[in-house]
């Protein structure tokens, strides 16, 4: 059943990607292919392919593509799109077949649909579909060489042709040389030379232009210092370096990356991890090439097969990081802070360098290869009712989660929350009608105190300034600080507390979508926006403020919701009574602030409390976890292991005097211990 669902998901994603391309207008579909093969495309021009920077391939690529121009024009891209889809399927099947063994039957069955889903979702494949690029062909050619049935002669031909299409892939011949397959490496180089010579004979002027002026694609396509170029050359240019100094530093860095990366690739190839070795070699090629565009970055995604970490909880960090880098927009990875945003925009290059030179992938002879240290878990809790919990198969982890993994999930989760909140309906008429409904309900209940309290705050400078500071600061500071403290000191409680917080946030998103509500300050009823001043209600954007987020996401109030979650957790875990009281006062103070600053109605606060209560209730229904779990005081975040101290000669002599040595027997003679030593980078 699971296998069928995964194949269905993979098929839907693949068909959706193909349909997304074919639905585009003809002038927006397969733009690179159209540039090459269209009516005025470079492959039709009698002059040089490189008279403009539109064509970025090698002369051999142009020689191969020229016979396809008429077919590409007549099929309007349909054949090209479905051909690319077929190549992606082949790539997924080859990658699934090439996983380093031993592989369980379940893994071998699930690997293919999972690989196809990840490939279709990845940015390089999506970019290849949209542009009509040919970059997936060299990847398929190289990966076919890792199959057990591929002979040495076939390997040399495949790698040679792939290198003729993308010269940096000649590095695979270097890896073959390093692992002792020198004859195959020589034949691969000869195949590359033959294809290049064939293109030179057919197009001498183009070949001279490419190899003399544009070797490796330098100077072709977008500017080399653009963010699209994820190579060391592009990074150095973006850092402000240029001229001879930049070229000298580039040569040093490229040689260092090539030496370290290719040696690592050879090591893992000898270890039987051929797919990982190919991914490392491809990552080296991306880093040292003059230009590495998005559609060429598929090698990074293939590095997901490497195993890292000795604990079971650590195994997910590397694959999750790679998948996030290869599937998400750069702004989703890291916030827009200057230094963090810069890292996010260069994330593919950093991931390629990490895979090539830094990440300590395990070797297959490591004890942790198939026997990682298990995560302690608790059996599902039994609820008060027989039907609780609903998810009886879920076991609750009892150890501290991996910090890097948690930070990645928190960042991506908050980006998703912000993105969905911004997409929620923002019709002014609908939001104001809901605001009037809430005000009417409050008048009926006799709790419509917003206008009076807002006037008091606006007319009291110290109260107004302090509430504005509270509103803009505490909303993120307190929950994040509490989560950090729980993670460090109460890891089991951290797992218990974060789940209802996530549920409450998801439920709030549903509320924003189904019931967009205008806050008091945007109702035009005389409320004073104490933080931003009067809003121009005749301006459809209501000033610059609404460009930042959806201003109609008022019901429920997550300011109150998150503060109530903090108050409940503090009241439960705080060791002192005064801290418990302060925690319970926090949501009350937050309620006063959101009403006093005219950012929410009083019933918005009730909605925030409701989603938090529902979050704790959902956790109980699904997992049976109601009360805070008991746990021992947490140990250090990074356990320190001390080497056992050997007794000194004085202690040995004392022990020899005080305790007579036992008489040895034939059965008790100890065997000499064999020395051990590291065998490679994966054994550390």
């Amino acid at each position: 059943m699971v296998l069928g669902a995964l194949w269905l998901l993979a098929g839907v994603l693949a068909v959706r990607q193909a349909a997304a391309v074919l639905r585009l207008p003809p002038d927006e579909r397969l733009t690179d292919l159209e540039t090459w093969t269209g009516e005025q495309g470079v492959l039709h021009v009698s002059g040089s392919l490189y008279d403009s920077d539109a064509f970025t391939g090698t002369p051999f690529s142009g020689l191969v593509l020229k016979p396809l121009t008429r077919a590409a024009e007549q099929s309007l891209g349909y054949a090209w799109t479905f051909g690319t889809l077929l190549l992606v399927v082949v790539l997924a099947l080859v990658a699934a077949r090439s996983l380093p063994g031993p592989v369980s039957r379940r893994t071998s069955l699930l690997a293919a649909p999972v690989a196809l889903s990840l490939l279709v979702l990845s940015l390089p494949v999506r970019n290849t579909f949209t542009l009509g690029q040919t970059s997936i062909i060299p990847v398929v050619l190289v990966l076919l060489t890792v199959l057990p049935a591929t002979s040495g002669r076939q390997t040399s031909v495949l790698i040679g042709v792939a290198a003729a299409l993308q010269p940096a892939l000649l590095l695979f011949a270097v890896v073959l040389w390093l692992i002792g397959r020198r004859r195959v490496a020589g034949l691969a180089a000869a195949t590359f030379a033959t294809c290049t010579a064939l293109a030179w004979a057919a197009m001498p002027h183009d070949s001279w232009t490419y190899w003399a002026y544009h070797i490796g694609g330098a100077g072709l396509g977008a500017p080399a210092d653009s963010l699209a170029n994820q190579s060391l050359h592009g990074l150095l240019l973006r850092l402000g370096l240029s001229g001879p100094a930049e070229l000298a530093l580039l040569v040093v860095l490229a040689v260092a990356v090539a030496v370290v990366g290719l040696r690592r690739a050879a090591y893992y190839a000898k270890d039987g991890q051929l797919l990982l070795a190919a991914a490392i070699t491809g990552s080296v090629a991306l880093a040292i090439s003059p230009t590495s565009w998005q559609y060429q970055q598929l090698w990074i995604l293939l590095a997901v097969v490497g195993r890292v970490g000795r604990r079971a909880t650590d195994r997910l960090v590397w694959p999750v990081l790679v998948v996030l880098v290869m599937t998400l927009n750069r702004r989703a990875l890291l916030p827009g802070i200057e230094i963090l945003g810069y890292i996010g925009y260069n994330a593919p290059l950093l991931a390629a360098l990490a895979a090539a030179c830094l990440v300590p992938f395990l070797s297959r002879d490591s004890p942790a290869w198939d026997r990682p240290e298990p995560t302690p878990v608790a059996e599902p809790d039994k609820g008060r009712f027989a039907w609780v919990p609903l998810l009886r198969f879920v076991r609750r982890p009892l150890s501290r989660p991996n910090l890097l993994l948690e930070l990645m999930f928190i960042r991506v989760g908050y980006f998703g929350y912000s993105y969905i909140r911004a997409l929620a309906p923002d019709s002014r008429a609908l939001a104001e009608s809901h605001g009037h409904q809430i005000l009417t309900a409050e008048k009926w209940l006799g709790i419509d105190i917003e206008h009076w309290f807002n006037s008091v705050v606006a007319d009291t400078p110290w109260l107004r300034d302090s509430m504005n500071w509270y509103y803009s600061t505490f909303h993120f500071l307190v929950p994040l600080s509490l989560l950090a403290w729980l993670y460090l000191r109460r890891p089991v409680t951290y797992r218990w507390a974060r789940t209802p917080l996530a549920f409450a946030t998801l439920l709030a998103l549903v509320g924003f979508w189904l019931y967009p509500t205008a806050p008091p300050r945007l109702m035009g009823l005389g409320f004073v926006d104490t933080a931003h001043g009067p809003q121009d209600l005749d301006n459809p954007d209501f000033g610059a403020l609404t460009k930042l987020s959806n201003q109609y996401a008022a019901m429920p109030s997550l300011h109150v919701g998150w503060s109530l979650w903090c108050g409940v957790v503090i009241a439960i875990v705080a060791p002192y009574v005064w801290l418990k009281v302060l925690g319970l006062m926090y949501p009350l103070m937050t309620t006063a602030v959101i009403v006093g600053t005219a950012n929410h109605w009083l019933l918005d606060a009730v909605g925030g409390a409701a989603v938090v209560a529902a979050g704790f209730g959902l956790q109980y229904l699904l997992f049976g976890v109601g009360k805070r779990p008991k746990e021992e005081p947490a140990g250090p975040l990074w356990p320190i292991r001390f080497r056992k101290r050997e007794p000194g000669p004085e202690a040995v002599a004392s022990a020899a005097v005080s305790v007579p040595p036992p008489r040895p027997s034939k059965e008790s003679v100890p065997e000499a211990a064999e020395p051990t030593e590291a065998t490679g980078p994966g054994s550390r």
Side-chain angles (χ1 to χ4, degrees):
M1 181 177 179
V2 175
L3 181 61
L6 286 176
W7 273 115
L8 177 62
L9 175 63
V12 170
L13 292 175
V15 172
R16 178 185 178 277
Q17 181 58 49
V21 174
L22 296 177
R23 283 201 305 263
L24 293 174
D27 57 339
E28 299 179 14
R29 180 197 312 157
L30 308 176
T31 52
D32 278 6
L33 182 65
E34 178 67 21
T35 301
W36 301 343
T37 65
E39 182 177 353
Q40 301 298 326
V42 293
L43 296 183
H44 283 302
V45 177
S46 57
S48 173
L49 296 175
Y50 307 105
D51 286 340
S52 67
D53 60 358
F55 187 74
T56 59
T58 63
F60 182 74
S61 300
L63 185 64
V64 173
L65 281 172
K66 276 194 173 183
L68 303 176
T69 55
R70 184 171 299 278
E73 292 171 348
Q74 293 176 350
S75 63
L76 299 178
Y78 285 87
W80 192 276
T81 300
F82 287 110
T84 303
L85 180 59
L86 180 60
L87 289 176
V88 173
V89 173
V90 171
L91 182 61
L93 295 177
V94 172
R97 179 68 177 84
S98 306
L99 293 178
V103 177
S104 65
R105 175 176 172 80
R106 179 184 179 186
T107 301
S108 62
L109 290 176
L110 301 181
V114 171
L116 180 57
S117 299
L118 291 179
L119 286 172
V120 174
L121 288 174
S122 67
L123 293 173
V125 170
R126 286 153 53 188
N127 194 259
T128 299
F129 267 103
T130 304
L131 298 180
Q133 274 285 350
T134 61
S135 57
I136 198 170
I137 298 176
V139 180
V140 174
L141 293 177
V142 171
L143 284 196
L144 288 175
T145 65
V146 306
L147 294 176
T150 306
S151 65
R153 181 171 297 179
Q154 292 170 336
T155 297
S156 62
V157 172
L158 291 172
I159 290 180
V161 174
L165 296 173
Q166 191 174 334
L169 299 186
L170 196 60
L171 292 175
F172 282 92
V174 179
V175 175
L176 290 173
W177 184 277
L178 292 176
I179 64 177
R181 304 183 66 183
R182 299 187 175 183
R183 183 174 181 275
V184 178
L187 290 176
T191 303
F192 164 75
T194 301
C195 294
T196 304
L198 181 63
W200 200 293
M203 297 180 293
H205 177 69
D206 291 336
S207 297
W208 171 259
T209 301
Y210 181 84
W211 292 109
Y213 300 102
H214 300 294
I215 183 169
L220 299 175
D225 60 348
S226 67
L227 288 174
N229 179 19
Q230 291 291 309
S231 68
L232 286 172
H233 179 52
L235 177 63
L236 294 178
L237 291 177
R238 289 191 290 273
L239 290 175
L241 299 176
S242 61
E246 187 269 335
L247 293 178
L249 182 57
L250 175 62
V251 170
V252 173
L253 293 177
V255 170
V257 171
V259 170
V260 175
L262 296 183
R263 287 174 62 88
R264 278 165 50 90
Y267 170 79
Y268 291 112
K270 292 179 181 179
D271 189 52
Q273 302 185 60
L274 298 180
L275 184 58
L276 177 60
I280 292 175
T281 308
S283 297
V284 173
L286 288 173
I288 69 175
S289 296
T291 54
S292 296
W293 310 117
Q294 189 175 73
Y295 50 80
Q296 299 171 327
Q297 298 166 10
L298 198 53
W299 298 107
I300 305 173
L301 182 61
L302 297 177
V304 76
V305 299
R307 298 189 185 184
V308 185
R310 300 185 178 276
R311 296 192 310 163
T313 53
D314 298 336
R315 288 289 173 88
L316 288 176
V317 176
W318 172 249
V320 169
L321 177 62
V322 172
V323 170
L324 293 181
V325 169
M326 288 290 98
T327 57
L328 293 184
N329 185 283
R330 307 294 170 248
R331 290 175 295 178
L333 297 175
L334 290 170
I337 304 173
E338 184 175 358
I339 182 62
L340 295 180
Y342 195 82
I343 294 174
Y345 283 116
N346 293 282
L349 172 60
L350 298 178
L353 292 174
C357 304
L358 300 177
V359 179
F361 299 112
L362 294 175
S363 60
R364 291 202 301 165
D365 59 357
S366 170
W369 172 262
D370 55 0
R371 291 187 300 275
E373 297 177 11
T375 302
V377 295
E379 295 296 327
D381 293 350
K382 293 183 179 179
R384 183 177 302 177
F385 306 99
W387 47 275
V388 174
L390 298 178
L391 303 180
R392 299 178 185 274
F393 57 88
V394 176
R395 296 183 177 182
R396 181 161 42 89
L398 297 178
S399 63
R400 180 182 287 112
N402 185 282
L403 178 59
L404 183 58
L405 196 62
E406 289 293 299
L407 293 177
M408 286 191 291
F409 283 146
I410 289 174
R411 168 57 196 165
V412 175
Y414 182 73
F415 177 82
Y417 158 77
S418 303
Y419 182 77
I420 295 175
R421 172 174 169 164
L423 290 180
D426 59 354
S427 169
R428 174 181 174 182
L430 180 63
E432 288 185 352
S433 67
H434 290 162
H436 284 294
Q437 291 175 5
I438 290 178
L439 183 58
T440 301
E442 289 186 351
K443 289 181 178 180
W444 183 78
L445 294 172
I447 58 173
D448 54 325
I449 62 172
E450 290 88 354
H451 197 281
W452 164 77
F453 190 48
N454 175 244
S455 300
V456 172
V457 172
D459 294 338
T460 310
W462 69 267
L463 186 59
R464 179 191 63 225
D465 295 340
S466 60
M467 282 193 172
N468 289 339
W469 178 81
Y470 183 107
Y471 183 84
S472 61
T473 304
F474 278 45
H475 181 49
F476 294 104
L477 179 63
V478 176
L480 291 178
S481 300
L482 181 57
L483 284 171
W485 184 85
L486 290 174
Y487 180 87
L488 294 173
R489 304 302 305 162
R490 298 289 187 270
V492 181
T493 304
Y494 169 83
R495 291 183 180 272
W496 166 81
R498 66 175 179 176
T499 305
L501 179 63
F503 284 153
T505 304
L506 290 176
L507 292 173
L509 284 177
V510 176
F512 299 155
W513 197 280
L514 298 180
Y515 199 77
T517 304
R521 59 184 176 80
L522 295 181
M523 289 290 291
L525 299 177
F527 290 92
V528 178
D529 186 343
T530 59
H532 305 97
Q535 297 293 305
D536 182 8
L537 300 183
D538 293 329
N539 185 339
D541 287 334
F542 299 101
L545 180 63
T546 56
K547 296 180 180 179
L548 302 178
S549 63
N550 184 357
Q551 297 299 298
Y552 295 139
M555 169 62 84
S557 169
L558 272 186
H559 278 78
V560 172
W562 289 1
S563 66
L564 179 61
W565 173 85
C566 293
V568 171
V569 174
I570 292 173
I572 291 176
V573 303
Y576 306 110
V577 175
W578 66 271
L579 274 178
K580 296 179 182 290
V581 173
L582 188 61
L584 293 176
M585 289 180 59
Y586 177 49
L588 299 178
M589 291 188 293
T590 302
T591 302
V593 167
I594 65 169
V595 174
T597 57
N599 280 285
H600 286 280
W601 306 97
L602 192 58
L603 285 181
D604 293 345
V606 176
V611 295
V612 170
F616 281 102
L618 275 175
Q619 178 173 244
Y620 175 71
L621 291 177
L622 296 177
F623 309 113
V625 181
K627 299 181 179 179
R628 179 178 71 94
K630 296 181 180 180
E631 63 181 330
E632 298 294 331
L637 186 57
W638 294 278
I640 302 176
R641 298 181 178 178
F642 296 96
R643 183 176 298 176
K644 186 177 180 180
R645 184 177 180 182
E646 298 293 339
E650 298 177 357
V652 173
S654 176
V657 172
S658 59
V659 181
R663 296 179 62 185
S665 61
K666 295 181 179 180
E667 293 79 11
S668 63
V669 176
E671 297 180 356
E674 296 182 0
T676 60
E677 61 180 354
T679 58
S683 62
R684 290 194 294 269

